[in-house]
């Protein structure tokens, strides 16, 4: 079968399309899935460009969506023909995060082989049903970006109608957060380096738009928009380069979902402001399988569809990553085969 792998030590020029052994038929508790699509996340990019070391010949990509071809003994949740989407943490069924979901050792496309191939045989717990009527590329956006935004706002944030959500940038997680917030009846403030992208965010329902290049102190803008109160929830995607302003921009007693590493992985934190404002700062990595099932159910009950900027062929995976690296995209970039 065809697979996109990464040769050591990584780098987009080290991505290769190879012929691998077919994984065969599922054993007890397993399913065989014909994978048709994946979506690109910043994490996949870090693996592919060598920023996160991985095994030589690793099959890339965390996100995978496709069709069940066969089920092993004891599997009653899926049948051949079902459309499914993979889980970021196959070993995290439900409940709060605890060991071993503090690292990527079981995450497809990082600690174990990923979804950039034609067939996988995995535990049935490594997949959920996909929303009915969605394309495989659309469904693939659920695994990482969509579920992270869902958990941040709904699971951890208990978002309510009328809340104000601040989300940073216009990549995959941020646009999913914008869509979820609007579905929940919340108001959205979004930042971007591009006025053109902000105009696209407005079409999706963002009411307040801030260009973080022309307004370097964007937290002041957030306070002005909210009459000095601040945002109820912040989808914090920048990391050390943006966290101090996110703490300024959140309301007293508000909630910051610490998700991203776009500006790095360590830095100074204004701890006194965090304490004084009694802010809840929640670090998170994606979510559980139960949260993915809840998200899929919510998506089926809504008319929301993910925003996909472009879908590439699997053979164009390096080109797709180069597109993502350029930062010119809005929402998601996918690959389908
Ligand atoms: N913890 C988790 O579970 C989890 C899950 C998914 C992703 N993440 C992390 O979340 C971040 C976003 O991931 P993604 O997949 O959505 O990435 P992505 O699609 O590649 O999004 C990148 C976008 O982020 C925006 N951006 C870049 N630097 C920024 C800055 N300094 N301030 C504000 N926005 C900035 C840019 O938007 P504009 O062009 O509009 O400026 C850029 O297009 C990454 O750090 C990723 O590793 C974490």
């Amino acid at each position: 079968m065809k697979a996109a792998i990464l040769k050591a030590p990584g780098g987009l020029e080290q991505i290769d399309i190879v012929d691998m052994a077919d994984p065969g038929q599922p054993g007890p508790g397993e399913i065989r899935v014909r994978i048709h699509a994946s979506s690109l996340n910043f994490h996949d990019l870090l693996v592919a460009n060598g920023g996160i070391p991985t095994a030589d010949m690793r099959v890339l990509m965390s996100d995978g969506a496709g069709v069940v071809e066969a089920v092993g003994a004891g599997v009653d949740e899926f049948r051949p023909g079902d459309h499914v989407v993979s889980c970021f943490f196959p070993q995290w069924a439900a409940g709060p995060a605890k060991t071993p979901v503090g690292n990527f050792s079981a995450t497809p496309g990082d600690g174990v082989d990923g979804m950039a191939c034609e067939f996988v045989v995995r535990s049935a717990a490594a997949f959920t049903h996909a929303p009915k009527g969605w394309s495989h590329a659309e469904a693939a956006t659920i695994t990482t970006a969509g579920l992270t935004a869902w958990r941040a706002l709904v699971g951890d944030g208990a978002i309510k109608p009328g809340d104000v959500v601040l989300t940073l940038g216009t990549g995959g997680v941020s646009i999913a957060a914008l869509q979820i917030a609007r579905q929940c009846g919340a108001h959205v403030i979004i930042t971007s380096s591009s006025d053109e992208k902000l105009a696209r965010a407005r079409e999706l329902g963002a009411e307040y738009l801030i260009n973080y290049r022309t307004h370097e102190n964007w937290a002041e803008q957030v306070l002005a928009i909210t009459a000095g109160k601040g945002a109820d929830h912040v989808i914090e995607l920048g990391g050390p380069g943006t966290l101090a302003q996110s703490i300024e921009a959140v309301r007293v007693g508000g909630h910051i979902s610490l998700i991203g590493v776009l500006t790095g992985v360590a830095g100074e934190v204004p701890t006194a402001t965090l304490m004084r404002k009694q802010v809840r700062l929640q670090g998170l990595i994606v979510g559980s399988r139960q949260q993915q099932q809840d998200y899929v159910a919510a998506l089926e009950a809504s008319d929301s569809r993910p925003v996909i900027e472009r879908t590439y062929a699997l053979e164009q995976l390096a080109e797709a990553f180069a597109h993502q690296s350029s930062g010119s995209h809005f929402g998601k970039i996918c690959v389908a085969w």
Side-chain angles (χ1 to χ4, degrees):
M1 69 165 183
K2 187 169 66 170
I5 57 90
L6 184 73
K7 290 184 267 182
L12 300 190
E13 68 290 348
Q14 301 294 340
I15 296 174
D16 203 1
I17 306 296
V18 297
D19 192 22
M20 290 182 72
D22 186 288
Q25 291 307 306
E30 293 180 333
I31 58 176
R32 174 181 166 96
V33 181
R34 167 66 165 98
I35 302 292
H36 283 286
S38 183
S39 88
L40 279 66
N41 298 288
F42 197 72
H43 182 91
D44 300 302
L45 175 63
L46 289 178
V47 172
N49 69 19
I52 296 178
T54 191
D56 188 26
M57 303 292 283
R58 172 66 77 223
V59 178
L60 292 164
M61 309 305 284
S62 295
D63 303 354
V67 181
V68 175
E69 283 201 341
V71 304
V75 174
D76 50 18
E77 190 178 345
F78 300 107
R79 291 185 197 173
D82 283 352
H83 288 210
V84 291
V85 54
S86 66
C87 297
F88 190 89
F89 284 121
Q91 77 279 38
W92 185 10
K98 53 188 177 195
T99 306
V101 299
N103 61 50
F104 303 108
S105 58
T107 297
D110 187 343
V112 300
D113 275 342
M115 297 290 151
C117 58
E118 288 180 292
F119 305 100
V120 297
V121 172
R122 300 283 161 100
S123 161
F127 284 87
T128 69
H129 288 275
K132 289 185 184 57
W134 281 37
S135 72
H136 298 302
E138 287 174 327
T141 68
I142 288 172
T143 303
T144 308
L147 181 56
T148 300
W150 171 262
R151 173 186 166 189
L153 289 173
V154 178
D156 293 347
I159 189 172
K160 303 186 302 303
D163 280 357
V164 175
V165 173
L166 166 65
T167 188
L168 306 188
T170 58
V173 177
S174 189
I175 295 303
L178 158 56
Q179 293 179 299
I180 292 164
R182 294 300 293 151
Q183 289 286 330
C184 292
H187 304 287
V188 174
I189 305 171
I190 191 165
T191 71
S192 177
S193 57
S194 153
D195 288 340
E196 190 200 335
K197 291 184 181 182
L198 288 172
R200 291 178 70 183
R202 188 194 293 280
E203 287 169 20
L204 293 173
E207 291 156 276
Y208 305 102
L209 317 169
I210 303 173
N211 187 317
Y212 64 81
R213 288 262 160 78
T214 53
H215 292 96
E216 282 187 10
N217 294 321
W218 42 267
E220 287 175 3
Q221 305 284 313
V222 176
L223 293 174
I225 289 164
T226 56
K229 182 181 164 205
D232 297 290
H233 309 273
V234 181
I235 302 298
E236 171 38 72
L237 299 170
T242 53
L243 181 59
Q245 290 213 53
S246 290
I247 292 170
E248 282 301 322
V250 73
R251 73 162 163 81
V252 172
H255 168 230
I256 300 175
S257 297
L258 185 59
I259 295 169
V261 293
L262 289 167
T263 66
V265 294
E268 286 186 17
V269 180
T271 54
T273 312
L274 195 60
M275 178 182 60
R276 179 173 54 73
K277 293 181 80 172
Q278 304 182 60
V279 171
R280 185 158 58 98
L281 179 63
Q282 169 78 54
L284 68 145
I285 310 180
V286 193
S288 68
R289 182 170 189 262
Q290 179 63 59
Q291 286 171 320
Q292 182 161 311
Q293 289 169 320
D294 294 345
Y295 181 38
V296 169
L299 289 166
E300 281 188 340
S302 83
D303 55 4
S304 183
R305 290 290 179 103
V307 177
I308 298 176
E309 165 107 2
R310 182 167 168 190
T311 300
Y312 289 84
L314 186 62
E315 290 76 7
Q316 298 172 299
L317 184 57
E319 197 184 324
F321 276 126
H323 181 178
Q324 186 189 14
S325 299
S326 76
S328 63
H329 63 291
F330 179 93
K332 296 296 298 182
I333 298 168
C334 292
V335 279
W337 57 96

